[in-house]
Amino acid sequence: MTRRKRPEKPAPTPLPDVSRIEEANVSRLGLISIQERVPDSFSSWTVDFNVDGRPARLTCDAMPKYGGVPHGLDGDIATALIDLYVETGCPADGLLNTSAYQILKRAGLDDSGRYYQNLRQTLFRLRTATYTASEAWRDHRRGNWTTVTFNYLEGLEFTSGDEDLGLSRSSTLKIRLAEPIVRSIRAQYTKPLDLEFLTSLDRPLTRALYRLLDARRYPPEDPTVPLPSFTVNLMDWAEACKIVDQRSNKIRSTLQGAHEELMERRYLSGVEYEGRGRTQKLTYRFAGTVTADANTPDGTDPRPVTSALAEELRRHRVSLAVAQRLTEEFGEAHVRERLEKFQRLISGGYRVRSRSALLVDVIRDQEGKYPDVAASTPPGKPEGRSSYMPTLDEAVNEPQPLEAQVDAALKTLQFLLRERLSVSEYALLRMGLIVGRPDPIEATRAASKAKVDGTLDAYTADLLLLLGELRTQA
């Protein structure tokens, strides 16, 4: 079993958004096997099913040299790539300039040598495995089902930081996502994704099953309204999960650990089996839904169960799942006290980009990061040694380790400069940021100003001159 090394508490920077999205076709079809390990010889699979009463098929053909079909941690990496792509503004060309370090951190994986090796294998699997969705890919703009063939990654370029030509912390990457995925995201055929909850799950198999279940929880025609339950034939579900051994007892044992974790974490309220052998049916009941009274025609009510406190958190744009989990984890008294503290911070002039993200972090804070502001303090005049109220970035990011400063600066510069620098030039830029040429803070400020002034080309030219000097001196 592959486990991730996770800190006892979530890293305070950067604060995660409480609401993320994922492309709905990818999540619904389950392109990546939930199993943590598969034989190298398991290099293809085919799943037949029905869409709107019509036959549909999904196939995957992979290469044994890269470890068979995409599986396990590949799902975490694929989710991280889409999230990073969306964060950059969903460019039409599908290009993502990033670093190996950024990908692992976004996926919630450990920053160690072994995971960089795993990342390299994952990227090659996603680049070489070919998917064909026959009458199974929804064209959201036209509202119909189409056939598409694609590789998850259509382009992959990276710099190596070691003698084995692999990935390391210093590696920079240029990745092009598959055109059907890009087109679908830009058409806003997406579903909500609780990334905070996803990355908090212990096992790759649990995270993979959560992604697949959460996709089935939303109807494909309208992936925004969750359903209270999901029932499926056990053998069909094994195919959807891409489980290698499809004997009914093996399927149940493969899923058992993930079922237990998802029920323990209150995502599922129950898992029920009915029947025997290949005719068994499996029903998942999602937490946060209730059974309706006898007056309800179909016996169920998809409306989520919410407390008054959860509704207050939702008014601040905190998702229902996060609101319920915070209340369960910390108790209503703690959450209400922190909600009042958050409100005093805001009324006292606390500057913040995302109020929902701040509220979640104030509730979770165990280190006293946020100043106490008296309820009677007039707006704009918080108590303390100074009337100055720091921004959220200043309060959370200061002081910031050099590695984090460099990573944050590189991420900003990649977003602003995009194709103006090559992958190797971004790698050289990262080295320059480490030695202070250019200084990470000054570089991002100057690039941001150049973006506003419309002088990014001139800024890039000056930056390339500096990088040329670094290359000469190296």
Side-chain angles (χ1 to χ4, degrees):
M1 181 174 69
T2 305
R3 288 189 178 273
R4 301 174 300 164
K5 181 181 177 182
R6 295 189 291 129
E8 293 183 3
K9 298 178 182 178
T13 54
L15 283 175
D17 293 336
V18 295
S19 178
R20 300 293 183 116
I21 62 172
E22 60 181 343
E23 197 279 325
N25 281 304
V26 168
S27 58
R28 176 179 51 82
L29 292 173
L31 302 180
I32 296 171
S33 170
I34 71 167
Q35 293 195 234
E36 295 173 28
R37 296 181 181 86
V38 301
D40 292 353
S41 58
F42 185 43
S43 58
S44 66
W45 48 254
T46 299
V47 179
D48 291 301
F49 52 100
N50 289 315
V51 174
D52 290 344
R54 297 165 51 190
R57 173 173 293 174
L58 179 68
T59 67
C60 175
D61 294 291
M63 301 178 66
K65 66 179 290 187
Y66 295 126
V69 299
H71 61 276
L73 288 176
D74 299 355
D76 296 318
I77 300 302
T79 299
L81 293 176
I82 286 184
D83 195 55
L84 288 167
Y85 167 74
V86 172
E87 189 177 87
T88 63
C90 305
D93 56 12
L95 280 177
L96 170 65
N97 287 290
T98 185
S99 69
Y101 177 83
Q102 290 168 7
I103 295 172
L104 289 181
K105 287 304 179 184
R106 184 56 56 93
L109 300 173
D110 188 36
D111 176 34
S112 66
R114 179 169 67 89
Y115 281 96
Y116 283 107
Q117 296 173 13
N118 291 342
L119 174 59
R120 184 181 186 276
Q121 283 293 99
T122 289
L123 293 174
F124 275 106
R125 275 193 291 271
L126 296 178
R127 176 66 186 92
T128 57
T130 300
Y131 294 96
T132 301
S134 301
E135 295 297 310
W137 189 271
R138 186 164 182 82
D139 184 329
H140 191 50
R141 285 178 175 161
R142 294 182 173 85
N144 60 358
W145 300 92
T146 64
T147 296
V148 296
T149 297
F150 62 92
N151 303 95
Y152 205 104
L153 304 183
E154 291 185 357
L156 173 62
E157 184 179 345
F158 62 86
T159 60
S160 297
D162 56 41
E163 296 178 355
D164 295 329
L165 303 180
L167 291 172
S168 69
R169 176 178 288 190
S170 63
S171 296
T172 59
L173 301 94
K174 180 196 291 185
I175 293 170
R176 187 188 297 274
L177 292 176
E179 194 274 335
I181 296 176
V182 170
R183 186 174 64 244
S184 191
I185 292 174
R186 288 174 58 82
Q188 299 183 16
Y189 187 51
T190 58
K191 60 168 287 294
L193 173 67
D194 189 341
L195 191 63
E196 180 191 15
F197 179 70
L198 173 65
T199 57
S200 74
L201 296 170
D202 286 332
R203 299 178 56 191
L205 189 146
T206 307
R207 298 193 295 274
L209 184 63
Y210 165 74
R211 281 189 293 264
L212 195 56
L213 273 174
D214 208 53
R216 301 302 175 99
R217 189 178 186 179
Y218 294 85
E221 295 81 9
D222 182 12
T224 59
V225 182
L227 302 173
S229 64
F230 167 61
T231 300
V232 63
N233 173 271
L234 183 65
M235 304 308 298
D236 292 342
W237 192 233
E239 286 193 339
C241 294
K242 297 17 175 231
I243 295 174
V244 179
D245 191 336
Q246 296 195 0
R247 289 175 292 176
S248 59
N249 63 321
K250 290 295 185 180
I251 298 169
R252 293 179 64 152
S253 64
T254 298
L255 296 172
Q256 182 177 352
H259 288 169
E260 291 172 353
E261 186 176 358
L262 289 174
M263 286 191 288
E264 179 184 338
R265 296 296 305 278
R266 309 287 182 87
Y267 175 74
L268 294 174
S269 62
V271 178
E272 302 164 8
Y273 290 93
E274 181 183 357
R276 298 175 60 85
R278 300 179 67 86
T279 62
Q280 286 183 77
K281 289 188 176 181
L282 178 58
T283 296
Y284 292 99
R285 303 201 180 279
F286 301 106
T289 56
V290 293
T291 302
D293 58 30
N295 295 325
T296 306
D298 62 358
T300 61
D301 185 347
R303 294 173 298 177
V305 176
T306 58
S307 66
L309 180 57
E311 286 294 345
E312 287 188 55
L313 297 179
R314 292 184 73 186
R315 282 195 288 271
H316 292 285
R317 303 185 67 82
V318 175
S319 70
L320 175 60
V322 173
Q324 291 178 324
R325 189 161 62 254
L326 289 171
T327 305
E328 292 168 359
E329 183 177 350
F330 295 99
E332 286 204 7
H334 173 92
V335 173
R336 189 168 295 281
E337 183 272 327
R338 293 301 178 88
L339 174 59
E340 293 172 355
K341 180 175 183 177
F342 161 80
Q343 292 169 333
R344 293 195 299 271
L345 284 169
I346 294 300
S347 63
Y350 205 105
R351 293 176 290 156
V352 60
R353 180 179 303 173
S354 171
R355 291 193 177 192
S356 57
L358 172 64
L359 175 55
V360 170
D361 201 56
V362 168
I363 294 172
R364 290 190 174 280
D365 176 38
Q366 303 292 318
E367 302 170 359
K369 293 187 299 185
Y370 300 97
D372 286 315
V373 181
S376 59
T377 301
K381 296 290 184 181
E383 288 185 347
R385 293 173 296 175
S386 169
S387 62
Y388 171 71
M389 178 67 71
T391 65
L392 179 60
D393 285 342
E394 291 168 336
V396 177
N397 294 347
E398 185 65 34
Q400 193 178 34
L402 176 61
E403 185 69 41
Q405 289 185 34
V406 169
D407 182 60
L410 182 62
K411 184 177 178 182
T412 299
L413 292 169
Q414 287 171 326
F415 173 72
L416 293 172
L417 302 181
R418 289 185 52 74
E419 297 303 293
R420 290 177 174 85
L421 268 63
S422 68
V423 172
S424 60
E425 286 167 342
Y426 275 121
L428 186 60
L429 173 58
R430 187 181 188 280
M431 294 174 55
L433 292 169
I434 291 174
V435 299
R437 298 185 61 196
D439 176 79
I441 296 176
E442 291 301 323
T444 53
R445 285 177 179 170
S448 298
K449 185 177 185 302
K451 172 68 173 178
V452 173
D453 295 343
T455 59
L456 273 178
D457 288 340
Y459 172 85
T460 304
D462 292 340
L463 183 61
L464 288 173
L465 287 175
L466 177 59
L467 295 181
E469 295 175 3
L470 288 173
R471 183 183 285 112
T472 302
Q473 296 170 4

